[in-house]
Amino acid sequence: MNMAVIHVLGRLYRDTGNERYMQMMRKIEKEMEEAGDYFRLGTRGVDFYKMPRPRWESLHDIQGIVEFYRITGNDDYRKSFENIWRSIDRFDVHNTGGFSTFEQAIGNPYTPGAIETCCTIAWMALSIDMLQLTGESKVADALERATWNHILGAQHPSGRWWTYDTPMDGVRRASAHSIVFQSREGTPELNCCSVNAPRGLGMLSEWGFMAEGDAIIINYYGPVELDATFGDNFKVRITEETNYPVDEHVVVRIAPEEPSTFAVRFRIPNWSVNTAVRVNGVASPKVERGNYFEIRKEWSTGDRVELDFDFTVHSLIGDEECLGKISPYRGPLLLAFDSHFNTYDTHDVPPIDMMNLVPSKADTPIGQFVPMILLQFQGTDGRPVVLCDFATAGAYGTHYLSWLPAIHVPPPSVILKQPADHETVASGPIRFEWSGSRRDTGRVYTLTISEDPSMGKPVVESDGIRQPVRFVNYDFVPGRNYYWRIMSYVSAEALPLRTESYSFTVDVSLENPLREFADNPALVEFREDGL
């Protein structure tokens, strides 16, 4: 809808105070109601993939929402923006850290489909706004995952070309081939992705190191020598001595121009279960993952902070089209099977055992495109399964997989979809939906709706559900908060998985097209074929 300029207008208004920019923003905001209606739907907690136009270009429109918050201080703008970011993070970010399927949000990160480079760039720009707004370390985790995997994977190691699509499983192709229709005479390699993609690397300057008050925030780990100025012209040099993300050991030297007292916050990634931090050789207790570890002291030249991250291999459990498969990671690096480093092809990969994900180092091959890391696992048939970092996978034009067959795979987690947390819904039949395959996989669900978040006052309990949806026709009290959650069972012997609870309220003034079909059995179950 050509409304992405709204966030540029917001930045111009904050810099100049020129009211013409604000007038144009308000005009676009009003017209947006007839397009994606992102602001109003975001405040209601509607997931982004359910909005009228969930294409990737809209992420720049949504940046305009956070600009409105920065200008006006109206919390509704902040609420809308945060809800949209969290929705995308939950339902549309792939194992690579890339966003979009066929150039938009669809609510399923397991579906194979083009993951456009431009889409991921927009997602990273949106995430930088989210990081600046909330200071949540999980947002920096998302930026790190996208940078080391999707962005580096989108650029061929030769430096000659970028991809349009960087699939989870598949083959890397130059954007000059995939979207050649954009080429012009004399510049066949120029297209939207090839000119937009370098932002993925350049944006590191916006999120890698930040400042808040008298605190320096370190989000990025890797070889770094940085001279920074913050506060009242206060200067400090930050040096990182490390081979991260190949090695888990990072040495950070903090050298202010003169001894000064301030805080330094170190991001502790959520994947690092056990992290050790030492300040000038003295161990620090209670390092919590998924948060920042703050050190406030008088810093002077020679001060040294050592971090040892937990590089135990961890896995993302597949669902939907990737049910029964896993994506293994070592630190922030997604691992992938590339037939170039193995003696067999991707269609013949044996399962690996999730109970024994202890790799050994494989011999580093001789070649033009040496991977960052090469690990050897054991297949269930005794064959070695050699995995490289996702960024290098496919560099020789070979087929690769980042979703691998496995045994002893626990059931995937369940994500609540509808109603979204704090959503207001119409009275009458209400559709409750959560993540999971609509095929009969043997999983059984129990839906509980309660008047309190502890689920101690249930008003609806429905068990024996075999597909991730249930329509409930109950006389909910308008305006009252209700809470719902799902229990997932894979067998009578296994412990059930329990989700968090989401809240919703009912508004009788909202139109519900399902009311006249309340007694129709088609609302209750899908057919056996999933329709």
Side-chain angles (χ1 to χ4, degrees):
M1 299 295 290
N2 295 327
M3 295 179 177
V5 71
I6 187 172
H7 88 282
V8 179
L9 294 168
R11 295 184 65 171
L12 286 168
Y13 178 77
R14 286 193 290 118
D15 282 348
T16 68
N18 188 329
E19 283 297 326
R20 295 180 66 214
Y21 296 131
M22 176 55 69
Q23 291 169 14
M24 190 64 176
M25 288 183 72
R26 291 298 187 191
K27 178 177 176 58
I28 294 174
E29 180 186 31
K30 184 63 179 175
E31 292 184 354
M32 200 181 291
E33 294 177 4
E34 302 302 320
D37 205 7
Y38 310 113
F39 168 59
R40 295 192 302 179
L41 294 177
T43 58
R44 287 172 45 194
V46 176
D47 287 308
F48 180 62
Y49 71 91
K50 297 176 183 175
M51 294 182 185
R53 286 187 170 85
R55 278 186 56 85
W56 73 269
E57 297 94 338
S58 303
L59 268 58
H60 298 299
D61 304 2
I62 294 161
Q63 287 186 277
I65 296 176
V66 79
E67 287 298 328
F68 272 124
Y69 171 72
R70 289 167 174 155
I71 293 167
T72 68
N74 183 340
D75 275 336
D76 284 344
Y77 290 112
R78 178 177 181 137
K79 177 183 177 182
S80 177
F81 178 83
E82 288 191 25
N83 285 344
I84 292 172
W85 187 92
R86 297 186 200 284
S87 170
I88 296 172
D89 183 54
R90 279 196 303 268
F91 298 121
D92 280 288
V93 175
H94 299 276
N95 60 345
T96 64
F99 159 72
S100 82
T101 306
F102 296 120
E103 303 187 7
Q104 67 177 40
I106 65 169
N108 180 0
Y110 308 103
T111 296
I115 309 173
E116 186 186 356
T117 300
C118 285
C119 306
T120 300
I121 297 299
W123 164 243
M124 293 178 70
L126 195 77
S127 296
I128 290 171
D129 279 336
M130 182 71 172
L131 182 61
Q132 293 170 343
L133 186 68
T134 67
E136 295 179 10
S137 65
K138 67 170 289 185
V139 184
D141 286 354
L143 286 160
E144 177 184 60
R145 182 166 57 143
T147 300
W148 285 114
N149 299 297
H150 183 96
I151 295 301
L152 291 187
Q155 186 182 38
H156 191 263
S158 66
R160 291 185 59 190
W161 51 265
W162 292 83
T163 65
Y164 155 76
D165 169 29
T166 309
M168 299 179 286
D169 300 335
V171 178
R172 306 278 169 88
R173 295 183 174 90
S175 58
H177 298 166
S178 300
I179 48 176
V180 66
F181 69 90
Q182 291 191 13
S183 65
R184 297 170 66 102
E185 291 183 12
T187 59
E189 64 285 314
L190 290 185
N191 51 65
C192 65
C193 288
S194 66
V195 299
N196 202 8
R199 286 188 64 199
L201 302 174
M203 284 189 288
L204 181 61
S205 64
E206 297 180 57
W207 68 269
F209 299 85
M210 303 170 70
E212 182 181 39
D214 69 341
I216 295 173
I217 303 167
I218 297 179
N219 289 312
Y220 173 79
Y221 298 110
V224 164
E225 187 172 290
L226 173 74
D227 289 317
T229 303
F230 73 103
D232 296 327
N233 205 30
F234 178 77
K235 297 181 179 179
V236 61
R237 168 165 289 189
I238 301 171
T239 306
E240 293 185 15
E241 301 164 0
T242 181
N243 196 28
Y244 183 98
V246 175
D247 296 331
E248 65 272 20
H249 185 63
V250 180
V251 176
V252 182
R253 299 184 185 275
I254 308 293
E257 199 171 38
E258 56 186 44
S260 301
T261 298
F262 54 91
V264 180
R265 299 176 191 155
F266 297 86
R267 179 179 61 91
I268 308 300
N270 192 56
W271 48 258
S272 183
V273 178
N274 298 298
T275 304
V277 177
R278 294 179 298 279
V279 183
N280 294 329
V282 179
S284 300
K286 298 180 180 179
V287 180
E288 181 183 353
R289 68 172 181 156
N291 214 325
Y292 287 97
F293 184 76
E294 181 174 304
I295 302 172
R296 180 176 292 275
K297 64 183 290 292
E298 183 180 75
W299 298 89
S300 58
T301 300
D303 278 336
R304 167 190 177 106
V305 179
E306 296 175 80
L307 302 100
D308 285 289
F309 296 108
D310 187 349
F311 270 29
T312 303
V313 174
H314 58 284
S315 297
L316 181 64
I317 309 302
D319 202 348
E320 300 281 2
E321 290 89 343
C322 298
L323 194 65
K325 299 179 180 181
I326 63 171
S327 283
Y329 297 78
R330 183 178 183 271
L333 294 181
L334 173 63
L335 304 178
F337 177 95
D338 185 343
S339 55
H340 178 79
F341 301 115
N342 291 271
T343 58
Y344 49 92
D345 292 327
T346 51
H347 70 270
D348 195 30
V349 177
I352 54 178
D353 191 345
M354 268 208 69
M355 303 293 288
N356 185 30
L357 284 180
V358 181
S360 58
K361 284 191 176 181
D363 294 333
T364 302
I366 298 174
Q368 188 174 4
F369 310 123
V370 178
M372 283 189 279
I373 192 167
L374 203 63
L375 300 176
Q376 180 172 304
F377 295 80
Q378 192 75 17
T380 54
D381 63 357
R383 286 184 293 169
V385 179
V386 177
L387 305 181
C388 67
D389 57 279
F390 178 82
T392 305
Y396 290 91
T398 45
H399 199 276
Y400 65 87
L401 300 175
S402 68
W403 284 109
L404 305 175
I407 63 172
H408 298 139
V409 180
S413 59
V414 174
I415 302 175
L416 303 183
K417 289 188 172 182
Q418 181 180 344
D421 202 14
H422 308 299
E423 185 175 354
T424 301
V425 299
S427 62
I430 299 174
R431 176 190 176 96
F432 289 84
E433 183 182 1
W434 52 97
S435 63
S437 176
R438 291 183 178 177
R439 304 189 307 273
D440 188 356
T441 59
R443 295 176 74 183
V444 180
Y445 306 98
T446 295
L447 165 66
T448 304
I449 305 173
S450 177
E451 293 182 349
D452 68 317
S454 67
M455 313 306 288
K457 298 179 180 179
V459 294
V460 173
E461 284 192 292
S462 182
D463 55 17
I465 306 171
R466 293 193 170 272
Q467 291 167 326
V469 67
R470 173 68 71 173
F471 287 84
V472 175
N473 194 20
Y474 178 82
D475 192 17
F476 294 104
V477 177
R480 176 180 294 176
N481 279 333
Y482 289 93
Y483 303 84
W484 72 286
R485 77 175 181 199
I486 291 295
M487 297 280 281
S488 173
Y489 304 83
V490 290
S491 69
E493 297 80 21
L495 291 174
L497 290 175
R498 181 173 63 190
T499 68
E500 59 182 327
S501 62
Y502 274 12
S503 71
F504 68 94
T505 56
V506 169
D507 184 347
V508 294
S509 68
L510 296 177
E511 181 182 357
N512 187 344
L514 300 178
R515 282 186 184 132
E516 59 184 294
F517 303 110
D519 297 324
N520 191 323
L523 290 177
V524 180
E525 296 286 354
F526 286 93
R527 300 189 324 198
E528 289 183 2
D529 60 4
L531 296 177

